[in-house]
Amino acid sequence: VEPTTLGYALLGLLACRPRTGYELTQALRAPVGYFWNASHSQVYPELARLEAAQLVRHRIIDGPGPRDTKQYSVTASGRRTLAEWAVTPADPQPQRDEFLLKVYSIWTADPQRALPMIETQRSEHIARLAEYESIEAHMISGNEDEIHNPRRPAFAAYATLRRGLSFERHAIAWCDWMIDSLAGAQPSHTKPKRQSPGTR
Amino acid sequence: VEPTTLGYALLGLLACRPRTGYELTQALRAPVGYFWNASHSQVYPELARLEAAQLVRHRIIDGPGPRDTKQYSVTASGRRTLAEWAVTPADPQPQRDEFLLKVYSIWTADPQRALPMIETQRSEHIARLAEYESIEAHMISGNEDEIHNPRRPAFAAYATLRRGLSFERHAIAWCDWMIDSLAGAQPSHTKPKRQSPGTR
DNA sequence: TAGCACATGTAACTCGTTACATGATTTG
DNA sequence: CAAATCATGTAACGAGTTACATGTGCTA
């Protein structure tokens, strides 16, 4: 039977290096969590399924806690399955964005009362962008060569990061436009035309 | 009890005008489907729940088929609930993007074999952008005033559309960079430097 | 006359979240 | 010594997809 998308996420992480279920769960918060996340309650059963399909194996390493600490690594078969999946075109995923859904109904509320909700979103994008930029600086100084070699894990991580950077910047610019539109439509007295601080 | 996100999507559509469950399902494919979608098997039970909570009501209109045709509309209470929800900051949704997850593992495959998967994605973004641009032209020619008035449904629809346009353009630019990176890393003989056609 | 658009519902299943459960080691 | 981190698992629930089910009116 074929792995789920989460299974491929785990295979992708294990292809870089062996990890415990706990370490995999952490990676599924960040950096992989930026585009695919899961909680530990999903990870452990999925690891068991991958092992049953002989795509990963584990060995017991010593560690704390009441249970064994299991370190997983990908098998040759798992590595092949992963590479095959990675080059298969992704079928279009259903888009779901609760923020945009709120925007779609924003006309039902007073524009002044709608502003904070957009501003909150904007500041979250600003924070995320700062996070990405710091990771980028780290990456560039750390492995200058690796990030330009498509056969290296660092290249793939850098590629996803670049997409994140670009996405956050465009999202911030959109928020600025939206804030102007909401504020600019006011009767009169207050028209604080913002010139997009933080977007450059 | 509070509506689900789908419930708010339905309220948002009914706030524009009364519709049948079938019409709501269609809207949840496009244009609302661009950021929130659902199938009819989800819509009908949710409408029943909204009605039980007195946020919508229905009346029977005549139509074909073995069952009654029900036209739903939003109640005053439903309208208030919707406006309240729309201005409440959205809590950050977990991001899930299978394409980016594939990109993260692309280093495990041969760069040449990875190209078609990126090119497929690119052409899907191109198609989506063309779709959005046609809707934009339609909107601008149709209701020039409405799209600039934040109290009008057309403004909200236009706002979500602008986000889509910006997103698709940045996604295409990223695909172009990715294709260059994968192709440019080839041993020698074939280096077809593309100059981003379609992105302007 | 065959297929499609209209129109509404239920059932089975999968995926993901939240909560329950346990316990050792390190740090303040 | 209290709290956080490391470490692994199960159970109950909710949201979403796919398949099952029915039947009319219009068009090619």
Side-chain angles (χ1 to χ4, degrees):
Chain A
V1 284
E2 213 184 324
T4 62
T5 306
L6 173 60
Y8 287 113
L10 299 176
L11 285 177
L13 284 163
L14 294 177
C16 293
R17 62 168 180 282
R19 298 178 209 232
T20 67
Y22 187 84
E23 288 169 329
L24 289 165
T25 303
Q26 280 180 309
L28 286 169
R29 290 179 62 82
V32 172
Y34 295 135
F35 44 88
W36 201 273
N37 59 16
S39 51
H40 76 276
S41 63
Q42 250 189 305
V43 169
Y44 292 109
E46 186 63 35
L47 280 171
R49 276 190 290 273
L50 290 175
E51 191 155 43
Q54 304 200 302
L55 302 172
V56 302
R57 71 171 73 88
H58 80 264
R59 61 190 193 90
I60 309 292
I61 58 172
D62 62 320
R67 289 190 188 78
D68 288 336
T69 296
K70 300 177 186 174
Q71 190 181 54
Y72 286 86
S73 50
V74 72
T75 63
S77 162
R79 174 70 181 252
R80 256 181 285 121
T81 306
L82 176 64
E84 197 60 45
W85 171 80
V87 297
T88 307
D91 38 24
Q93 292 292 110
Q95 293 293 321
R96 284 217 173 81
D97 187 331
E98 196 177 353
F99 171 74
L100 272 189
L101 191 62
K102 286 186 181 224
V103 170
Y104 190 76
S105 289
I106 214 162
W107 63 276
T108 61
D110 175 41
Q112 280 301 297
R113 289 195 59 212
L115 273 171
M117 172 262 195
I118 306 288
E119 269 154 3
T120 301
Q121 189 75 6
R122 185 178 182 277
S123 65
E124 277 163 16
H125 285 302
I126 295 274
R128 192 69 77 93
L129 177 59
E131 206 177 330
Y132 288 173
E133 279 171 342
S134 125
I135 297 172
E136 188 191 25
H138 222 258
M139 267 192 190
I140 290 175
S141 66
N143 18 21
E144 184 78 71
D145 298 334
E146 306 251 317
I147 61 173
H148 296 118
N149 183 347
R151 301 306 308 252
R152 286 284 168 196
F155 165 79
Y158 180 62
T160 60
L161 183 70
R162 275 187 74 115
R163 198 133 184 288
L165 284 162
S166 158
F167 175 78
E168 297 302 332
R169 285 178 184 136
H170 107 91
I172 293 163
W174 180 89
C175 285
D176 289 337
W177 170 84
M178 189 69 183
I179 290 167
D180 278 354
S181 298
L182 288 173
Q186 275 319 100
S188 53
H189 62 280
T190 357
K191 282 195 182 183
K193 276 284 160 189
R194 81 159 60 209
Q195 49 262 12
S196 322
T199 330
R200 184 148 8 204
Chain B
V1 284
E2 210 185 327
T4 62
T5 307
L6 172 61
Y8 286 114
L10 298 176
L11 285 176
L13 284 164
L14 294 176
C16 294
R17 62 168 180 281
R19 301 178 208 230
T20 66
Y22 186 84
E23 288 169 329
L24 289 165
T25 304
Q26 281 179 309
L28 286 169
R29 290 180 61 82
V32 171
Y34 296 134
F35 44 88
W36 201 272
N37 59 16
S39 50
H40 77 275
S41 64
Q42 247 190 306
V43 169
Y44 292 109
E46 186 61 35
L47 280 170
R49 276 190 291 272
L50 290 175
E51 190 156 45
Q54 305 201 302
L55 303 172
V56 303
R57 73 171 71 87
H58 81 266
R59 62 190 192 90
I60 309 292
I61 58 173
D62 62 321
R67 290 189 187 80
D68 289 336
T69 296
K70 301 177 186 174
Q71 190 181 55
Y72 286 87
S73 51
V74 72
T75 63
S77 161
R79 174 70 180 252
R80 255 180 286 119
T81 306
L82 175 65
E84 196 60 45
W85 171 80
V87 298
T88 306
D91 38 24
Q93 294 291 110
Q95 295 292 323
R96 285 216 172 83
D97 187 332
E98 196 178 352
F99 171 73
L100 271 190
L101 192 61
K102 286 185 183 226
V103 170
Y104 190 75
S105 289
I106 214 163
W107 62 276
T108 60
D110 173 43
Q112 281 301 298
R113 289 195 58 212
L115 273 171
M117 171 263 191
I118 307 289
E119 269 154 4
T120 301
Q121 188 76 7
R122 185 176 181 278
S123 65
E124 277 163 15
H125 284 303
I126 296 273
R128 193 67 79 92
L129 177 59
E131 206 177 330
Y132 289 172
E133 279 171 342
S134 127
I135 297 172
E136 189 191 24
H138 221 257
M139 267 193 190
I140 290 174
S141 67
N143 21 21
E144 184 79 71
D145 297 335
E146 306 251 316
I147 62 172
H148 296 119
N149 184 345
R151 300 308 308 252
R152 288 282 169 198
F155 166 78
Y158 180 61
T160 59
L161 183 71
R162 276 188 72 114
R163 199 133 184 289
L165 285 163
S166 157
F167 175 77
E168 297 302 332
R169 285 177 185 138
H170 107 90
I172 292 163
W174 180 89
C175 284
D176 289 337
W177 170 84
M178 190 67 183
I179 290 167
D180 279 353
S181 298
L182 288 174
Q186 275 320 99
S188 54
H189 62 281
T190 358
K191 280 193 182 183
K193 275 284 160 189
R194 79 159 60 208
Q195 50 261 10
S196 322
T199 329
R200 184 147 10 213

